[in-house]
Amino acid sequence: MSAAPPPVPLHRRLVAELLGTALLVAVVVGSGVAAQQLSPDDVGLQLLENSTATVLGLAVLIVIFGPVSGAHFNPVVSAADWVLGRRAGTGLTGVEVGTYTVAQTTGAIAGAVLANVMFDIEVTELSGTERAGSNLLIAEVVATAGLVTLVFALARTGRGPLAAPAVGAYIGAAYWFTASTSFANPAVTIGRIFSDTFAGIDPASVPGFVAAQLVGGLTGIALVRYLFPDVEAAAGDVVVPRITTPAESTPRSTR
């Protein structure tokens, strides 16, 4: 009988979350810059190019980092994992949510700076792209609620391996059906402050977006609990099941 794989230490999971979020933002921002350069007079084509790169890049990043950290890349997903898993003793602990959030936000900022460097853009300029209006905030609630519902529904029904194409497809679709182009991620929203490009967001718009995303996360939690009453048992398998030993997968008594 082969030995069970060792649990993934927290420090390794944090590096995976940092790198994954950094590369995700680099894909979003970098493809946005490339789209502006390649199609300067066609905003619709720019959005198509940007969304296509994001779909493909996100799917690949989930495949790479999912077995290590779960490939959350999103503080709302990590927080929902903690909220839903508390009763069953599954998912992240409160401390892990905090450290995941720091890693994700740091990675998002680094990813925006990396994209700026690759495209020879001034790295100290903040975005001047205003994204204000109740319609955009409603769009962020919808986008985030849908994302949370999707990833926990996949985990609950044992379809975690479909997370890469499914989450990529959802975000790609949400680029087009939401007025905000579906940020749906507080860390990514903060990271995009640091790129004065097609994909950026000005600092004044960030608090509203983050608040809307938190509301969307709570809405998604409520919806997935209603649709899947025993979803708590699957919280540890979001977005992609991590490598664990039987000991690590035992429900925790301390949260």
Side-chain angles (χ1 to χ4, degrees):
M1 177 182 293
S2 59
V8 180
L10 179 59
H11 67 84
R12 192 172 299 161
R13 286 185 274 147
L14 295 179
V15 170
E17 286 295 301
L18 188 151
L19 290 176
T21 311
L23 291 172
L24 173 59
V25 174
V27 168
V28 172
V29 173
S31 63
V33 175
Q36 275 187 311
Q37 295 177 350
L38 295 171
S39 310
D41 301 318
D42 191 332
V43 177
L45 188 54
Q46 290 175 14
L47 186 60
L48 177 61
E49 293 160 348
N50 188 209
S51 61
T52 300
T54 301
V55 168
L56 298 175
L58 178 56
V60 169
L61 292 172
I62 291 173
V63 169
I64 295 172
F65 296 108
V68 180
S69 67
H72 292 187
F73 310 152
N74 188 333
V76 169
V77 172
S78 298
D81 189 50
W82 171 67
V83 170
L84 287 172
R86 290 182 71 189
R87 292 181 183 175
T90 58
L92 298 180
T93 66
V95 171
E96 287 173 332
V97 171
T99 54
Y100 264 48
T101 298
V102 171
Q104 292 156 353
T105 304
T106 302
I109 295 171
V113 172
L114 175 61
N116 291 338
V117 170
M118 290 192 293
F119 284 91
D120 196 24
I121 296 172
E122 178 58 55
V123 298
T124 60
E125 291 184 0
L126 301 182
S127 176
T129 303
E130 181 181 3
R131 299 180 187 267
S134 58
N135 61 318
L136 300 185
L137 300 183
I138 292 171
E140 281 300 291
V141 172
V142 171
T144 311
L147 176 62
V148 169
T149 303
L150 170 63
V151 297
F152 283 93
L154 289 173
R156 170 58 188 84
T157 55
R159 294 176 294 167
L162 293 178
V167 173
Y170 175 78
I171 293 299
Y175 257 83
W176 291 90
F177 78 75
T178 65
S180 62
T181 65
S182 183
F183 282 45
N185 185 327
V188 169
T189 302
I190 292 171
R192 287 165 72 165
I193 293 174
F194 296 88
S195 183
D196 191 15
T197 66
F198 174 80
I201 179 172
D202 75 302
S205 299
V206 169
F209 263 55
V210 171
Q213 291 156 1
L214 295 177
V215 172
L218 292 173
T219 303
I221 289 171
L223 181 57
V224 79
R225 267 184 169 162
Y226 174 75
L227 294 174
F228 305 98
D230 54 350
V231 67
E232 290 88 351
D237 294 333
V238 173
V239 171
V240 174
R242 294 186 291 110
I243 300 171
T244 60
T245 64
E248 189 189 42
S249 62
T250 301
R252 301 183 176 107
S253 58
T254 303
R255 308 303 290 177

mmCIF file of all heavy atoms in Angstrom, residues 39-89:
data_model
loop_
_atom_site.group_PDB
_atom_site.id
_atom_site.type_symbol
_atom_site.label_atom_id
_atom_site.label_comp_id
_atom_site.label_asym_id
_atom_site.label_seq_id
_atom_site.Cartn_x
_atom_site.Cartn_y
_atom_site.Cartn_z
ATOM 1 N N SER A 39 -6.190 46.787 -30.822
ATOM 2 C CA SER A 39 -7.501 47.218 -31.334
ATOM 3 C C SER A 39 -7.868 48.575 -30.722
ATOM 4 O O SER A 39 -8.844 48.693 -29.982
ATOM 5 C CB SER A 39 -8.567 46.177 -30.987
ATOM 6 O OG SER A 39 -8.171 44.878 -31.352
ATOM 7 N N PRO A 40 -7.099 49.602 -31.026
ATOM 8 C CA PRO A 40 -7.281 50.888 -30.349
ATOM 9 C C PRO A 40 -8.621 51.566 -30.607
ATOM 10 O O PRO A 40 -9.054 52.400 -29.813
ATOM 11 C CB PRO A 40 -6.132 51.737 -30.901
ATOM 12 C CG PRO A 40 -5.798 51.115 -32.216
ATOM 13 C CD PRO A 40 -6.020 49.654 -32.025
ATOM 14 N N ASP A 41 -9.288 51.218 -31.695
ATOM 15 C CA ASP A 41 -10.529 51.912 -32.058
ATOM 16 C C ASP A 41 -11.779 51.052 -31.900
ATOM 17 O O ASP A 41 -12.849 51.431 -32.360
ATOM 18 C CB ASP A 41 -10.444 52.393 -33.517
ATOM 19 C CG ASP A 41 -9.270 53.332 -33.738
ATOM 20 O OD1 ASP A 41 -9.048 54.200 -32.867
ATOM 21 O OD2 ASP A 41 -8.571 53.182 -34.761
ATOM 22 N N ASP A 42 -11.644 49.897 -31.242
ATOM 23 C CA ASP A 42 -12.794 48.990 -31.124
ATOM 24 C C ASP A 42 -12.858 48.458 -29.695
ATOM 25 O O ASP A 42 -12.200 47.483 -29.342
ATOM 26 C CB ASP A 42 -12.646 47.831 -32.113
ATOM 27 C CG ASP A 42 -13.919 47.009 -32.247
ATOM 28 O OD1 ASP A 42 -14.693 46.957 -31.272
ATOM 29 O OD2 ASP A 42 -14.132 46.405 -33.321
ATOM 30 N N VAL A 43 -13.669 49.099 -28.863
ATOM 31 C CA VAL A 43 -13.765 48.708 -27.457
ATOM 32 C C VAL A 43 -14.350 47.305 -27.308
ATOM 33 O O VAL A 43 -13.942 46.532 -26.432
ATOM 34 C CB VAL A 43 -14.612 49.725 -26.669
ATOM 35 C CG1 VAL A 43 -14.779 49.273 -25.219
ATOM 36 C CG2 VAL A 43 -13.975 51.101 -26.714
ATOM 37 N N GLY A 44 -15.305 46.954 -28.157
ATOM 38 C CA GLY A 44 -15.899 45.620 -28.093
ATOM 39 C C GLY A 44 -14.867 44.539 -28.345
ATOM 40 O O GLY A 44 -14.838 43.514 -27.654
ATOM 41 N N LEU A 45 -14.003 44.769 -29.316
ATOM 42 C CA LEU A 45 -12.950 43.796 -29.617
ATOM 43 C C LEU A 45 -11.935 43.753 -28.484
ATOM 44 O O LEU A 45 -11.413 42.683 -28.144
ATOM 45 C CB LEU A 45 -12.268 44.149 -30.937
ATOM 46 C CG LEU A 45 -11.264 43.128 -31.487
ATOM 47 C CD1 LEU A 45 -11.897 41.750 -31.605
ATOM 48 C CD2 LEU A 45 -10.726 43.597 -32.836
ATOM 49 N N GLN A 46 -11.658 44.892 -27.883
ATOM 50 C CA GLN A 46 -10.759 44.921 -26.734
ATOM 51 C C GLN A 46 -11.296 44.043 -25.602
ATOM 52 O O GLN A 46 -10.559 43.260 -24.996
ATOM 53 C CB GLN A 46 -10.600 46.356 -26.229
ATOM 54 C CG GLN A 46 -9.826 47.276 -27.144
ATOM 55 C CD GLN A 46 -9.810 48.709 -26.637
ATOM 56 O OE1 GLN A 46 -10.155 48.980 -25.484
ATOM 57 N NE2 GLN A 46 -9.432 49.642 -27.495
ATOM 58 N N LEU A 47 -12.591 44.160 -25.340
ATOM 59 C CA LEU A 47 -13.192 43.364 -24.271
ATOM 60 C C LEU A 47 -13.168 41.878 -24.619
ATOM 61 O O LEU A 47 -12.937 41.029 -23.751
ATOM 62 C CB LEU A 47 -14.629 43.819 -24.026
ATOM 63 C CG LEU A 47 -15.338 43.173 -22.821
ATOM 64 C CD1 LEU A 47 -14.592 43.460 -21.534
ATOM 65 C CD2 LEU A 47 -16.775 43.659 -22.731
ATOM 66 N N LEU A 48 -13.375 41.545 -25.871
ATOM 67 C CA LEU A 48 -13.324 40.149 -26.303
ATOM 68 C C LEU A 48 -11.930 39.577 -26.097
ATOM 69 O O LEU A 48 -11.769 38.459 -25.577
ATOM 70 C CB LEU A 48 -13.731 40.030 -27.774
ATOM 71 C CG LEU A 48 -13.657 38.624 -28.378
ATOM 72 C CD1 LEU A 48 -14.594 37.666 -27.654
ATOM 73 C CD2 LEU A 48 -13.975 38.667 -29.869
ATOM 74 N N GLU A 49 -10.932 40.325 -26.484
ATOM 75 C CA GLU A 49 -9.556 39.863 -26.333
ATOM 76 C C GLU A 49 -9.186 39.723 -24.849
ATOM 77 O O GLU A 49 -8.563 38.732 -24.438
ATOM 78 C CB GLU A 49 -8.611 40.850 -27.031
ATOM 79 C CG GLU A 49 -8.781 40.867 -28.545
ATOM 80 C CD GLU A 49 -8.233 42.120 -29.213
ATOM 81 O OE1 GLU A 49 -7.908 43.093 -28.494
ATOM 82 O OE2 GLU A 49 -8.140 42.138 -30.455
ATOM 83 N N ASN A 50 -9.579 40.709 -24.062
ATOM 84 C CA ASN A 50 -9.291 40.689 -22.634
ATOM 85 C C ASN A 50 -9.993 39.523 -21.937
ATOM 86 O O ASN A 50 -9.391 38.796 -21.141
ATOM 87 C CB ASN A 50 -9.737 42.028 -22.037
ATOM 88 C CG ASN A 50 -9.320 42.230 -20.596
ATOM 89 O OD1 ASN A 50 -9.989 42.934 -19.840
ATOM 90 N ND2 ASN A 50 -8.209 41.645 -20.160
ATOM 91 N N SER A 51 -11.256 39.315 -22.241
ATOM 92 C CA SER A 51 -12.019 38.245 -21.580
ATOM 93 C C SER A 51 -11.533 36.864 -22.007
ATOM 94 O O SER A 51 -11.473 35.941 -21.192
ATOM 95 C CB SER A 51 -13.518 38.394 -21.873
ATOM 96 O OG SER A 51 -13.792 38.298 -23.253
ATOM 97 N N THR A 52 -11.163 36.714 -23.271
ATOM 98 C CA THR A 52 -10.671 35.415 -23.749
ATOM 99 C C THR A 52 -9.379 35.024 -23.042
ATOM 100 O O THR A 52 -9.218 33.885 -22.579
ATOM 101 C CB THR A 52 -10.438 35.451 -25.268
ATOM 102 O OG1 THR A 52 -11.665 35.760 -25.939
ATOM 103 C CG2 THR A 52 -9.917 34.114 -25.772
ATOM 104 N N ALA A 53 -8.467 35.972 -22.927
ATOM 105 C CA ALA A 53 -7.207 35.691 -22.233
ATOM 106 C C ALA A 53 -7.458 35.351 -20.762
ATOM 107 O O ALA A 53 -6.821 34.451 -20.201
ATOM 108 C CB ALA A 53 -6.274 36.896 -22.339
ATOM 109 N N THR A 54 -8.408 36.059 -20.141
ATOM 110 C CA THR A 54 -8.705 35.812 -18.735
ATOM 111 C C THR A 54 -9.299 34.420 -18.527
ATOM 112 O O THR A 54 -8.929 33.712 -17.580
ATOM 113 C CB THR A 54 -9.667 36.875 -18.193
ATOM 114 O OG1 THR A 54 -9.074 38.168 -18.346
ATOM 115 C CG2 THR A 54 -9.978 36.635 -16.727
ATOM 116 N N VAL A 55 -10.215 34.016 -19.389
ATOM 117 C CA VAL A 55 -10.817 32.679 -19.304
ATOM 118 C C VAL A 55 -9.738 31.607 -19.364
ATOM 119 O O VAL A 55 -9.685 30.699 -18.517
ATOM 120 C CB VAL A 55 -11.834 32.465 -20.441
ATOM 121 C CG1 VAL A 55 -12.239 30.992 -20.525
ATOM 122 C CG2 VAL A 55 -13.064 33.333 -20.234
ATOM 123 N N LEU A 56 -8.878 31.704 -20.345
ATOM 124 C CA LEU A 56 -7.843 30.686 -20.541
ATOM 125 C C LEU A 56 -6.815 30.725 -19.407
ATOM 126 O O LEU A 56 -6.425 29.687 -18.862
ATOM 127 C CB LEU A 56 -7.161 30.889 -21.888
ATOM 128 C CG LEU A 56 -8.071 30.763 -23.120
ATOM 129 C CD1 LEU A 56 -7.295 31.103 -24.392
ATOM 130 C CD2 LEU A 56 -8.658 29.364 -23.208
ATOM 131 N N GLY A 57 -6.387 31.929 -19.053
ATOM 132 C CA GLY A 57 -5.381 32.054 -18.000
ATOM 133 C C GLY A 57 -5.887 31.564 -16.653
ATOM 134 O O GLY A 57 -5.177 30.850 -15.934
ATOM 135 N N LEU A 58 -7.119 31.925 -16.292
ATOM 136 C CA LEU A 58 -7.678 31.500 -15.019
ATOM 137 C C LEU A 58 -7.807 29.983 -14.949
ATOM 138 O O LEU A 58 -7.486 29.361 -13.928
ATOM 139 C CB LEU A 58 -9.043 32.155 -14.801
ATOM 140 C CG LEU A 58 -9.803 31.773 -13.525
ATOM 141 C CD1 LEU A 58 -8.971 32.041 -12.279
ATOM 142 C CD2 LEU A 58 -11.133 32.524 -13.461
ATOM 143 N N ALA A 59 -8.268 29.372 -16.026
ATOM 144 C CA ALA A 59 -8.412 27.915 -16.047
ATOM 145 C C ALA A 59 -7.069 27.219 -15.822
ATOM 146 O O ALA A 59 -6.960 26.264 -15.052
ATOM 147 C CB ALA A 59 -9.029 27.465 -17.373
ATOM 148 N N VAL A 60 -6.038 27.722 -16.476
ATOM 149 C CA VAL A 60 -4.709 27.131 -16.331
ATOM 150 C C VAL A 60 -4.185 27.308 -14.905
ATOM 151 O O VAL A 60 -3.622 26.382 -14.313
ATOM 152 C CB VAL A 60 -3.728 27.755 -17.343
ATOM 153 C CG1 VAL A 60 -2.288 27.355 -17.024
ATOM 154 C CG2 VAL A 60 -4.089 27.322 -18.763
ATOM 155 N N LEU A 61 -4.386 28.473 -14.330
ATOM 156 C CA LEU A 61 -3.897 28.736 -12.975
ATOM 157 C C LEU A 61 -4.599 27.859 -11.945
ATOM 158 O O LEU A 61 -3.982 27.415 -10.969
ATOM 159 C CB LEU A 61 -4.079 30.214 -12.636
ATOM 160 C CG LEU A 61 -3.191 31.175 -13.439
ATOM 161 C CD1 LEU A 61 -3.583 32.622 -13.157
ATOM 162 C CD2 LEU A 61 -1.718 30.948 -13.128
ATOM 163 N N ILE A 62 -5.887 27.604 -12.129
ATOM 164 C CA ILE A 62 -6.610 26.700 -11.223
ATOM 165 C C ILE A 62 -6.036 25.291 -11.313
ATOM 166 O O ILE A 62 -5.862 24.609 -10.295
ATOM 167 C CB ILE A 62 -8.114 26.706 -11.543
ATOM 168 C CG1 ILE A 62 -8.732 28.060 -11.166
ATOM 169 C CG2 ILE A 62 -8.829 25.578 -10.789
ATOM 170 C CD1 ILE A 62 -10.174 28.218 -11.587
ATOM 171 N N VAL A 63 -5.713 24.852 -12.511
ATOM 172 C CA VAL A 63 -5.122 23.521 -12.696
ATOM 173 C C VAL A 63 -3.765 23.430 -11.990
ATOM 174 O O VAL A 63 -3.446 22.437 -11.336
ATOM 175 C CB VAL A 63 -4.973 23.209 -14.198
ATOM 176 C CG1 VAL A 63 -4.124 21.949 -14.400
ATOM 177 C CG2 VAL A 63 -6.335 23.022 -14.851
ATOM 178 N N ILE A 64 -2.962 24.486 -12.105
ATOM 179 C CA ILE A 64 -1.623 24.466 -11.515
ATOM 180 C C ILE A 64 -1.671 24.510 -9.990
ATOM 181 O O ILE A 64 -1.055 23.689 -9.301
ATOM 182 C CB ILE A 64 -0.778 25.650 -12.037
ATOM 183 C CG1 ILE A 64 -0.520 25.513 -13.545
ATOM 184 C CG2 ILE A 64 0.557 25.741 -11.286
ATOM 185 C CD1 ILE A 64 0.128 26.739 -14.161
ATOM 186 N N PHE A 65 -2.387 25.485 -9.461
ATOM 187 C CA PHE A 65 -2.307 25.760 -8.025
ATOM 188 C C PHE A 65 -3.424 25.131 -7.199
ATOM 189 O O PHE A 65 -3.330 25.095 -5.969
ATOM 190 C CB PHE A 65 -2.295 27.275 -7.791
ATOM 191 C CG PHE A 65 -1.084 27.966 -8.361
ATOM 192 C CD1 PHE A 65 -1.190 28.770 -9.480
ATOM 193 C CD2 PHE A 65 0.153 27.793 -7.781
ATOM 194 C CE1 PHE A 65 -0.082 29.408 -10.014
ATOM 195 C CE2 PHE A 65 1.288 28.420 -8.307
ATOM 196 C CZ PHE A 65 1.170 29.231 -9.429
ATOM 197 N N GLY A 66 -4.460 24.634 -7.842
ATOM 198 C CA GLY A 66 -5.576 24.051 -7.112
ATOM 199 C C GLY A 66 -5.194 22.948 -6.144
ATOM 200 O O GLY A 66 -5.621 22.964 -4.982
ATOM 201 N N PRO A 67 -4.388 21.972 -6.541
ATOM 202 C CA PRO A 67 -4.036 20.888 -5.619
ATOM 203 C C PRO A 67 -3.215 21.345 -4.407
ATOM 204 O O PRO A 67 -3.128 20.636 -3.420
ATOM 205 C CB PRO A 67 -3.221 19.938 -6.507
ATOM 206 C CG PRO A 67 -3.671 20.235 -7.895
ATOM 207 C CD PRO A 67 -3.922 21.710 -7.914
ATOM 208 N N VAL A 68 -2.611 22.530 -4.493
ATOM 209 C CA VAL A 68 -1.787 23.027 -3.393
ATOM 210 C C VAL A 68 -2.610 23.829 -2.392
ATOM 211 O O VAL A 68 -2.598 23.558 -1.189
ATOM 212 C CB VAL A 68 -0.624 23.896 -3.931
ATOM 213 C CG1 VAL A 68 0.237 24.407 -2.763
ATOM 214 C CG2 VAL A 68 0.219 23.118 -4.921
ATOM 215 N N SER A 69 -3.339 24.839 -2.894
ATOM 216 C CA SER A 69 -4.038 25.762 -1.992
ATOM 217 C C SER A 69 -5.552 25.773 -2.157
ATOM 218 O O SER A 69 -6.254 26.427 -1.389
ATOM 219 C CB SER A 69 -3.525 27.185 -2.236
ATOM 220 O OG SER A 69 -3.898 27.640 -3.534
ATOM 221 N N GLY A 70 -6.045 25.076 -3.172
ATOM 222 C CA GLY A 70 -7.460 25.163 -3.502
ATOM 223 C C GLY A 70 -7.732 26.167 -4.602
ATOM 224 O O GLY A 70 -8.830 26.221 -5.144
ATOM 225 N N ALA A 71 -6.725 26.989 -4.934
ATOM 226 C CA ALA A 71 -6.853 28.000 -5.999
ATOM 227 C C ALA A 71 -8.025 28.939 -5.755
ATOM 228 O O ALA A 71 -8.835 29.175 -6.628
ATOM 229 C CB ALA A 71 -6.969 27.328 -7.368
ATOM 230 N N HIS A 72 -8.089 29.503 -4.548
ATOM 231 C CA HIS A 72 -9.140 30.485 -4.269
ATOM 232 C C HIS A 72 -8.896 31.779 -5.037
ATOM 233 O O HIS A 72 -9.801 32.288 -5.700
ATOM 234 C CB HIS A 72 -9.182 30.790 -2.776
ATOM 235 C CG HIS A 72 -9.639 29.646 -1.940
ATOM 236 N ND1 HIS A 72 -9.884 29.762 -0.591
ATOM 237 C CD2 HIS A 72 -9.889 28.349 -2.244
ATOM 238 C CE1 HIS A 72 -10.276 28.602 -0.099
ATOM 239 N NE2 HIS A 72 -10.256 27.717 -1.085
ATOM 240 N N PHE A 73 -7.689 32.340 -4.889
ATOM 241 C CA PHE A 73 -7.299 33.603 -5.538
ATOM 242 C C PHE A 73 -8.279 34.732 -5.238
ATOM 243 O O PHE A 73 -8.332 35.708 -6.000
ATOM 244 C CB PHE A 73 -7.189 33.437 -7.062
ATOM 245 C CG PHE A 73 -6.368 32.281 -7.544
ATOM 246 C CD1 PHE A 73 -6.644 31.677 -8.762
ATOM 247 C CD2 PHE A 73 -5.305 31.781 -6.787
ATOM 248 C CE1 PHE A 73 -5.891 30.613 -9.222
ATOM 249 C CE2 PHE A 73 -4.549 30.707 -7.242
ATOM 250 C CZ PHE A 73 -4.842 30.122 -8.469
ATOM 251 N N ASN A 74 -9.063 34.627 -4.178
ATOM 252 C CA ASN A 74 -10.167 35.552 -3.956
ATOM 253 C C ASN A 74 -10.551 35.536 -2.473
ATOM 254 O O ASN A 74 -10.995 34.501 -1.959
ATOM 255 C CB ASN A 74 -11.360 35.123 -4.818
ATOM 256 C CG ASN A 74 -12.493 36.121 -4.815
ATOM 257 O OD1 ASN A 74 -12.682 36.882 -3.873
ATOM 258 N ND2 ASN A 74 -13.277 36.112 -5.876
ATOM 259 N N PRO A 75 -10.416 36.660 -1.758
ATOM 260 C CA PRO A 75 -10.771 36.687 -0.341
ATOM 261 C C PRO A 75 -12.227 36.336 -0.058
ATOM 262 O O PRO A 75 -12.530 35.772 1.009
ATOM 263 C CB PRO A 75 -10.472 38.142 0.065
ATOM 264 C CG PRO A 75 -9.431 38.603 -0.902
ATOM 265 C CD PRO A 75 -9.793 37.930 -2.196
ATOM 266 N N VAL A 76 -13.125 36.656 -0.969
ATOM 267 C CA VAL A 76 -14.535 36.326 -0.751
ATOM 268 C C VAL A 76 -14.739 34.816 -0.750
ATOM 269 O O VAL A 76 -15.469 34.271 0.083
ATOM 270 C CB VAL A 76 -15.428 36.994 -1.810
ATOM 271 C CG1 VAL A 76 -16.852 36.438 -1.745
ATOM 272 C CG2 VAL A 76 -15.465 38.505 -1.609
ATOM 273 N N VAL A 77 -14.092 34.125 -1.665
ATOM 274 C CA VAL A 77 -14.194 32.662 -1.718
ATOM 275 C C VAL A 77 -13.587 32.055 -0.451
ATOM 276 O O VAL A 77 -14.158 31.135 0.147
ATOM 277 C CB VAL A 77 -13.504 32.112 -2.977
ATOM 278 C CG1 VAL A 77 -13.435 30.579 -2.938
ATOM 279 C CG2 VAL A 77 -14.246 32.561 -4.233
ATOM 280 N N SER A 78 -12.437 32.573 -0.011
ATOM 281 C CA SER A 78 -11.799 32.057 1.192
ATOM 282 C C SER A 78 -12.672 32.292 2.428
ATOM 283 O O SER A 78 -12.820 31.410 3.283
ATOM 284 C CB SER A 78 -10.429 32.722 1.395
ATOM 285 O OG SER A 78 -9.561 32.429 0.316
ATOM 286 N N ALA A 79 -13.254 33.492 2.522
ATOM 287 C CA ALA A 79 -14.121 33.796 3.659
ATOM 288 C C ALA A 79 -15.374 32.930 3.638
ATOM 289 O O ALA A 79 -15.833 32.448 4.690
ATOM 290 C CB ALA A 79 -14.507 35.280 3.644
ATOM 291 N N ALA A 80 -15.950 32.714 2.463
ATOM 292 C CA ALA A 80 -17.128 31.855 2.350
ATOM 293 C C ALA A 80 -16.788 30.420 2.752
ATOM 294 O O ALA A 80 -17.600 29.724 3.377
ATOM 295 C CB ALA A 80 -17.671 31.897 0.923
ATOM 296 N N ASP A 81 -15.584 29.989 2.413
ATOM 297 C CA ASP A 81 -15.129 28.654 2.791
ATOM 298 C C ASP A 81 -15.121 28.510 4.314
ATOM 299 O O ASP A 81 -15.538 27.484 4.861
ATOM 300 C CB ASP A 81 -13.726 28.441 2.216
ATOM 301 C CG ASP A 81 -13.245 27.012 2.353
ATOM 302 O OD1 ASP A 81 -13.995 26.107 1.972
ATOM 303 O OD2 ASP A 81 -12.118 26.821 2.837
ATOM 304 N N TRP A 82 -14.645 29.558 5.001
ATOM 305 C CA TRP A 82 -14.628 29.543 6.471
ATOM 306 C C TRP A 82 -16.048 29.584 7.044
ATOM 307 O O TRP A 82 -16.388 28.796 7.923
ATOM 308 C CB TRP A 82 -13.821 30.736 6.971
ATOM 309 C CG TRP A 82 -13.922 30.944 8.450
ATOM 310 C CD1 TRP A 82 -13.439 30.119 9.435
ATOM 311 C CD2 TRP A 82 -14.552 32.033 9.122
ATOM 312 N NE1 TRP A 82 -13.718 30.644 10.680
ATOM 313 C CE2 TRP A 82 -14.403 31.823 10.517
ATOM 314 C CE3 TRP A 82 -15.203 33.180 8.680
ATOM 315 C CZ2 TRP A 82 -14.902 32.710 11.462
ATOM 316 C CZ3 TRP A 82 -15.697 34.077 9.615
ATOM 317 C CH2 TRP A 82 -15.551 33.833 10.994
ATOM 318 N N VAL A 83 -16.881 30.472 6.518
ATOM 319 C CA VAL A 83 -18.245 30.617 7.024
ATOM 320 C C VAL A 83 -19.026 29.314 6.865
ATOM 321 O O VAL A 83 -19.681 28.837 7.806
ATOM 322 C CB VAL A 83 -18.985 31.761 6.300
ATOM 323 C CG1 VAL A 83 -20.472 31.756 6.652
ATOM 324 C CG2 VAL A 83 -18.372 33.107 6.667
ATOM 325 N N LEU A 84 -18.947 28.711 5.699
ATOM 326 C CA LEU A 84 -19.714 27.502 5.436
ATOM 327 C C LEU A 84 -19.148 26.281 6.154
ATOM 328 O O LEU A 84 -19.888 25.348 6.475
ATOM 329 C CB LEU A 84 -19.777 27.235 3.932
ATOM 330 C CG LEU A 84 -20.686 28.180 3.137
ATOM 331 C CD1 LEU A 84 -20.515 27.961 1.633
ATOM 332 C CD2 LEU A 84 -22.143 27.983 3.534
ATOM 333 N N GLY A 85 -17.845 26.276 6.393
ATOM 334 C CA GLY A 85 -17.232 25.094 6.989
ATOM 335 C C GLY A 85 -17.187 25.085 8.497
ATOM 336 O O GLY A 85 -16.790 24.085 9.101
ATOM 337 N N ARG A 86 -17.590 26.186 9.146
ATOM 338 C CA ARG A 86 -17.443 26.272 10.604
ATOM 339 C C ARG A 86 -18.220 25.185 11.341
ATOM 340 O O ARG A 86 -17.703 24.562 12.270
ATOM 341 C CB ARG A 86 -17.901 27.647 11.091
ATOM 342 C CG ARG A 86 -16.967 28.777 10.697
ATOM 343 C CD ARG A 86 -17.451 30.103 11.248
ATOM 344 N NE ARG A 86 -17.292 30.172 12.704
ATOM 345 C CZ ARG A 86 -17.790 31.141 13.456
ATOM 346 N NH1 ARG A 86 -18.494 32.103 12.905
ATOM 347 N NH2 ARG A 86 -17.597 31.134 14.761
ATOM 348 N N ARG A 87 -19.454 24.936 10.963
ATOM 349 C CA ARG A 87 -20.277 23.953 11.681
ATOM 350 C C ARG A 87 -19.723 22.544 11.537
ATOM 351 O O ARG A 87 -19.726 21.767 12.485
ATOM 352 C CB ARG A 87 -21.714 23.992 11.159
ATOM 353 C CG ARG A 87 -22.472 25.270 11.496
ATOM 354 C CD ARG A 87 -23.890 25.187 10.962
ATOM 355 N NE ARG A 87 -24.635 26.420 11.199
ATOM 356 C CZ ARG A 87 -25.863 26.637 10.756
ATOM 357 N NH1 ARG A 87 -26.500 25.704 10.052
ATOM 358 N NH2 ARG A 87 -26.466 27.779 11.011
ATOM 359 N N ALA A 88 -19.263 22.219 10.342
ATOM 360 C CA ALA A 88 -18.784 20.862 10.075
ATOM 361 C C ALA A 88 -17.303 20.699 10.390
ATOM 362 O O ALA A 88 -16.777 19.586 10.348
ATOM 363 C CB ALA A 88 -19.045 20.494 8.620
ATOM 364 N N GLY A 89 -16.604 21.800 10.712
ATOM 365 C CA GLY A 89 -15.175 21.708 10.991
ATOM 366 C C GLY A 89 -14.355 21.443 9.762
ATOM 367 O O GLY A 89 -13.295 20.818 9.829
#
